[in-house]
Amino acid sequence: GEREISHIFRPFSGFQSLRLKPRPSKRDDGGKFFLCFVEFDSKQQATVAMNHLQGYFMDKDDMKGLNIQYCKERRR
């Protein structure tokens, strides 16, 4: 869960917080996946973490690895 994932990001300088949001899978298997929002003190610190962890495999059954990108700006 959230605690385990925060251990992946916590070693990076500027780490502030992490939150998970469950989302239903687009596949017909009824599964779900999680969006993970991680905050850092600066965009530069977030970029360092993103570059190091892109494609990180969570466990031996993880076939895709982490897909990390900047949060999209909300339109108002």
Side-chain angles (χ1 to χ4, degrees):
E2 198 167 306
R3 184 175 183 190
E4 292 83 3
I5 295 172
S6 67
H7 286 298
I8 296 168
F9 289 93
R10 187 170 285 120
F12 292 91
S13 180
F15 174 80
Q16 286 187 359
S17 65
L18 176 140
R19 63 188 165 87
L20 295 175
K21 294 187 82 170
R23 292 285 187 247
S25 174
K26 292 179 181 175
R27 292 181 273 164
D28 291 334
D29 60 6
K32 62 181 174 179
F33 69 98
F34 291 88
L35 295 177
C36 178
F37 295 90
V38 184
E39 291 190 46
F40 284 85
D41 290 333
S42 72
K43 186 174 182 177
Q44 181 181 10
Q45 291 168 324
T47 301
V48 169
M50 182 171 74
N51 289 338
H52 277 86
L53 295 173
Q54 194 69 260
Y56 177 87
F57 294 105
M58 298 295 291
D59 60 38
K60 63 181 175 68
D61 297 323
D62 185 353
M63 297 303 204
K64 293 184 179 182
L66 292 179
N67 177 9
I68 304 172
Q69 54 188 285
Y70 296 111
C71 186
K72 295 177 176 79
E73 296 286 328
R74 290 185 182 177
R75 295 182 191 171
R76 293 179 186 220

